[in-house]
Amino acid sequence: MTALPSWIDDRIDHDFTKKLTQEHVVETMLHADRPFFSASQIRARVTPEVSKETVRNRLNELRELDVVATEAYPDTITLYYIKHPESAWPVSPEGRQALAHETPLDTLSVTDFVRLRNPAGIRTLVLAGFQLSLVLFSLGAVTAALSVDIAIGSSIRLWAAAGNLFLVCLVLLFAERIARQLRGDGLGALAPWSNRPGDDRR
């Protein structure tokens, strides 16, 4: 990797006896293609494998050295970014726009889910589950009224529920893509001639 900027190199502790050093964390953040990270995202990028607590310790040290700054978004999620002296991020519109694309589920790792350590991500997942449950309930009411059964069946009810949920998610995914295409190109996107080269129909 290239040398660290002098303003960072002069501030950090060059102690290589630790399994994860401040320098390694900073290098990981500087050479990534994103301006901000959660502790989980940094942990996934560094080697050797370390605990999230270790990553947070290095980040807190860097924050005390004024190399790293934080932004709380949303709720209990803390995002970290390099505090460049010449940058006003995340106050700038570009920084706010980049931050707005981060969702709680983006920072929810399997470990956090199992250990219930990411409240915002888990609440988002639960809310999505409630909404999908409502969709399944509505579909069940419609199929019962029409006397048809399009559901996946299984002697193990959890498998049947998982299969039906998977189908609903798949249908919703394709429906969202079609709706996005229609919003962008209008009804002409569904016409067979809409994308033909040389088409003069306007």
Side-chain angles (χ1 to χ4, degrees):
M1 291 187 178
T2 57
L4 294 176
S6 58
W7 71 271
I8 294 180
D9 194 57
D10 293 340
R11 298 182 187 181
I12 64 174
D13 180 13
H14 296 280
D15 180 6
F16 297 103
T17 61
K18 296 177 179 178
K19 190 173 183 180
L20 178 66
T21 64
Q22 294 176 5
E23 182 175 1
H24 193 176
V25 173
V26 173
E27 286 178 342
T28 300
M29 298 176 72
L30 284 175
H31 294 90
D33 56 352
R34 56 186 303 138
F36 56 90
F37 305 82
S38 67
S40 298
Q41 290 167 338
I42 294 178
R43 182 192 176 198
R45 291 172 178 262
V46 298
T47 53
E49 185 175 345
V50 294
S51 66
K52 188 186 290 187
E53 287 74 16
T54 299
V55 174
R56 283 203 183 101
N57 288 339
R58 295 296 87 79
L59 288 168
N60 289 334
E61 293 168 3
L62 291 167
R63 184 169 57 177
E64 292 175 1
L65 296 171
D66 211 25
V67 173
V68 166
T70 61
E71 180 82 0
Y73 176 90
D75 295 338
T76 58
I77 296 179
T78 300
L79 299 179
Y80 302 83
Y81 63 97
I82 298 295
K83 191 177 180 181
H84 295 280
E86 68 278 5
S87 174
W89 198 93
V91 177
S92 67
E94 293 80 10
R96 290 293 180 185
Q97 184 178 6
L99 190 60
H101 288 96
E102 185 83 356
T103 68
L105 289 181
D106 290 335
T107 61
L108 181 62
S109 64
V110 175
T111 303
D112 284 344
F113 174 74
V114 172
R115 300 173 66 181
L116 303 178
R117 294 188 58 182
N118 188 334
I122 292 173
R123 283 197 297 269
T124 302
L125 192 62
V126 169
L127 179 60
F130 286 152
Q131 293 172 331
L132 288 174
S133 298
L134 179 61
V135 172
L136 283 172
F137 181 82
S138 302
L139 287 176
V142 170
T143 55
L146 297 177
S147 299
V148 295
D149 186 10
I150 59 174
I152 294 177
S154 174
S155 58
I156 301 178
R157 295 182 179 180
L158 286 177
W159 288 2
N164 289 314
L165 182 61
F166 176 80
L167 284 180
V168 168
C169 291
L170 201 60
V171 170
L172 286 175
L173 179 62
F174 281 109
E176 185 275 333
R177 290 185 177 181
I178 293 174
R180 180 173 46 179
Q181 187 74 18
L182 289 176
R183 283 194 296 267
D185 301 333
L187 293 177
L190 299 181
W193 62 80
S194 60
N195 293 325
R196 291 178 182 173
D199 186 10
D200 295 326
R201 303 180 191 185
R202 296 285 182 182

